[in-house]
Amino acid sequence: GKPLALGSEVRIAGQAGEPALVGYDGIAYLDALEAHNVLEVQTPGGTCRVEFDYRKQGDGLPQIGPLACRKEQP
C-alpha cells in the first residue's frame, strides 16, 4: 500500500540490460513493454513482482497503475 522505495531497481523479467530506477513517489519509467509484462523489483526490503497487460495508445507517455508489487516467497 506504499510507494516503492526511492532507488529500487526495476527489471522487465526475461530482458537483459540495466534496470530502471524508482524515483520519487514510487514512479519508474520503462520502455520496451510487451502486451503482457512481469516486473521484478529489488527493494531494500527484498524482491517483489508485479504483472500487468499493456496496450500502446498514441505517442504520449502513458501512466500505468498504481500497481501492487507482491513479495517473492522464498
Side-chain angles (χ1 to χ4, degrees):
K2 300 178 192 170
L4 292 170
L6 182 66
S8 295
E9 296 182 346
V10 181
R11 294 181 186 276
I12 299 172
Q15 289 188 7
E18 292 295 314
L21 296 178
V22 173
Y24 293 102
D25 298 323
I27 296 173
Y29 294 92
L30 302 165
D31 54 13
L33 293 176
E34 302 291 335
H36 182 76
N37 299 277
V38 177
L39 304 182
E40 297 171 343
V41 183
Q42 183 63 48
T43 71
T47 302
C48 64
R49 290 170 61 97
V50 62
E51 296 186 37
F52 63 94
D53 292 327
Y54 170 71
R55 190 178 76 199
K56 183 173 175 141
Q57 297 177 349
D59 292 330
L61 188 62
Q63 179 175 337
I64 301 168
L67 301 171
C69 198
R70 308 284 181 207
K71 282 197 172 192
E72 294 275 293
Q73 299 300 323

